[in-house]
């Protein structure tokens, strides 16, 4: 799926002094600065927290209008098996096992408990210890995906979930409904993409430097691709230039609707395009599968009067009813 511009990489900033190799090679601990390693992890988490906070506002605020809704507590875990040097990360974070809190999205049920600070060690999801699941030695992501899938499945079948911690304490959390999309931060890169079930943004994407409502614009654009079913539509109808342009235009136009329902001023979508666009869309070398940034800003601006009228009248902007589609989601046009 083309987006404003994958998989999240595991080795960002970690094990700066040494990368362990297979076969039980010893780590030269004299070359490891654990404070530096922890600072690198915490820097990544700060970016991730910002993405998760904005993403939560978006999927929670638009849940009434999404076709696919799931129960969620807004919790994201980390698995040290996915790091470049798990032993170093364990020492830097003072963990015995591999699972710990990565983020609890602001405003989510997990955050409301106060029980999920970053890097708190997790030993149980309900009665299951995810540390007991098999994993490769390093740079292994499937187990973390399995843990998040396990949480989603547990929440779909029960009214709440219990998370157990290394000190023996537990936290019981009740979910709320959200649009079915996960948000992931890549440890490098400037791209932002959507794949139907995830929004993935590189840590070097310029919008991380913007004010939150404007940064939320890129999150809204990629989320719009997922909510409008663009990957599936393009799978059926092909990824020719004309088709991609139509889906990109549609995602642009939905941005201010998603922002408004998340509590932001919808004009922030236009501000995002006017801020990012002059440098981000490629200028004369732009791939013509996208409109020019100035045209994109105009399409976004044209949606705002209707959104403001709906917000004033109903307190929400129901895009499932009032948004004009560029493509027929069930057909080829």
């Amino acid at each position: 799926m083309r987006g404003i511009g994958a998989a999240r990489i595991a080795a960002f900033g970690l094990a700066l002094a040494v990368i362990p190799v297979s076969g039980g090679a010893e780590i030269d601990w004299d070359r490891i600065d654990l404070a530096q390693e922890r600072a690198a992890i915490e820097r990544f988490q700060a970016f991730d927290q910002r993405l998760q906070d904005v993403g939560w506002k978006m999927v929670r605020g638009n849940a009434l209008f999404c076709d696919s809704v799931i129960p969620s507590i807004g919790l994201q875990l980390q698995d040290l098996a996915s790091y470049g040097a798990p032993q170093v990360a364990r020492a830097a974070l003072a963990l015995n096992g591999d699972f710990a809190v990565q983020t609890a999205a602001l405003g989510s049920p997990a955050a409301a408990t106060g029980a999920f600070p970053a890097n708190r060690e997790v030993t149980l999801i309900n009665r299951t210890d995810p540390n007991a699941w098999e994993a490769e030695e390093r740079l292994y992501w499937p187990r973390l995906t399995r843990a998040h899938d396990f949480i989603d499945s547990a929440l779909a079948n029960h009214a709440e979930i219990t998370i157990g911690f290394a000190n023996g304490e537990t936290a019981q959390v009740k979910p709320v409904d959200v649009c079915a999309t996960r948000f992931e931060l890549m440890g490098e890169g400037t791209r932002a993409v959507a794949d139907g079930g995830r929004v993935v943004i590189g840590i070097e994407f310029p919008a991380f430097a913007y004010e939150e409502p404007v940064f939320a614009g890129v999150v809204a654009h990629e989320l719009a691709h997922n909510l409008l079913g663009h990957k599936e539509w393009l799978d059926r109808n092909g990824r020719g230039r004309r088709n991609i342009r139509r889906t990109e235009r549609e995602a642009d136009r939905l941005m201010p609707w998603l922002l408004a329902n998340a509590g932001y001023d919808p004009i922030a979508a236009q501000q995002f395009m006017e801020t990012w666009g002059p440098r981000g869309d490629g200028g004369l070398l732009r791939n013509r599968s996208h409109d020019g940034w100035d045209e994109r800003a105009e399409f976004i601006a044209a949606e705002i009067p209707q959104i403001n009228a709906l917000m004033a009248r109903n307190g929400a902007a129901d895009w499932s009813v009032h948004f004009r589609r560029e493509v027929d989601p069930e057909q080829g046009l």
Side-chain angles (χ1 to χ4, degrees):
M1 168 65 65
R2 292 194 171 187
I4 291 283
R8 176 178 173 183
I9 70 165
F12 167 73
L14 307 178
L16 299 175
V18 64
I19 294 293
V21 296
S22 60
E26 293 293 327
I27 293 176
D28 183 356
W29 289 100
D30 290 337
R31 297 174 58 200
I32 302 295
D33 184 336
L34 291 180
Q36 185 180 15
E37 298 293 337
R38 185 180 181 99
I41 294 170
E42 290 175 344
R43 178 177 180 269
F44 182 90
Q45 288 173 327
F47 279 81
D48 204 357
Q49 185 72 54
R50 191 172 197 216
L51 173 59
Q52 301 304 322
D53 290 349
V54 169
W56 178 265
K57 289 182 181 180
M58 215 80 65
V59 294
R60 178 62 180 149
N62 286 278
L64 289 175
F65 315 122
C66 292
D67 290 335
S68 180
V69 174
I70 61 170
S72 176
I73 62 171
L75 176 65
Q76 185 181 211
L77 300 179
Q78 59 178 314
D79 177 5
L80 301 195
S82 66
Y83 282 56
Q87 290 173 272
V88 174
R90 263 183 232 110
L93 299 177
L95 301 179
N96 292 315
D98 284 338
F99 276 87
V101 174
Q102 174 75 358
T103 61
L106 184 66
S108 71
T113 68
F116 296 95
N119 303 316
R120 187 177 190 186
E121 188 167 351
V122 171
T123 56
L124 289 174
I125 305 171
N126 283 341
R127 296 184 178 88
T128 298
D129 181 2
N131 296 279
W133 296 336
E134 291 186 5
E136 295 180 7
E137 183 178 349
R138 52 185 287 263
L139 295 174
Y140 185 74
W141 282 101
R143 189 169 68 168
L144 180 58
T145 299
R146 180 180 178 183
H148 288 144
D149 288 344
F150 186 84
I151 291 172
D152 285 351
S153 178
L155 290 171
N157 294 313
H158 302 283
E160 62 183 16
I161 194 169
T162 300
I163 305 296
F165 304 103
N167 65 355
E169 295 179 353
T170 61
Q172 291 183 318
V173 194
K174 294 183 179 181
V176 295
D177 286 343
V178 300
C179 303
T181 283
R182 291 177 183 173
F183 300 90
E184 295 184 11
L185 178 69
M186 288 190 294
E188 63 180 7
T190 60
R191 297 188 65 203
V193 298
D195 68 2
R198 301 178 303 158
V199 167
V200 186
I201 300 181
I203 198 170
E204 297 164 358
F205 194 92
F208 276 108
Y210 303 168
E211 294 295 322
E212 180 180 313
V214 183
F215 166 69
V218 63
V219 181
H221 177 94
E222 298 304 334
L223 177 60
H225 282 303
N226 289 347
L227 301 187
L228 295 171
H230 285 163
K231 178 181 183 299
E232 295 80 3
W233 188 86
L234 290 169
D235 286 345
R236 292 194 304 270
N237 297 289
R239 286 173 169 75
R241 181 180 298 175
R242 178 174 178 269
N243 283 352
I244 291 174
R245 177 177 286 203
R246 294 176 72 185
T247 57
E248 290 297 330
R249 186 179 297 165
E250 192 171 64
D252 286 341
R253 291 177 43 246
L254 190 62
M255 288 166 63
W257 294 77
L258 301 181
L259 289 173
N261 290 324
Y264 299 109
D265 189 329
I267 201 172
Q270 179 183 348
Q271 292 169 336
F272 165 77
M273 194 59 65
E274 291 172 344
T275 304
W276 171 84
R279 294 185 178 180
D281 80 342
L284 293 175
L285 300 179
R286 180 179 67 250
N287 185 327
R288 295 306 301 180
S289 62
H290 293 60
D291 295 305
W293 70 264
D294 49 349
E295 297 171 291
R296 299 175 75 176
E298 290 174 3
F299 291 137
I300 292 168
E303 301 291 321
I304 295 175
Q306 184 182 12
I307 294 169
N308 286 337
L310 289 168
M311 294 296 294
R313 185 166 66 246
N314 304 320
D318 186 350
W319 46 268
S320 68
V321 172
H322 299 286
F323 180 73
R324 178 182 58 80
R325 297 294 306 256
E326 298 278 341
V327 302
D328 183 336
E330 304 299 330
Q331 303 296 328
L333 294 175

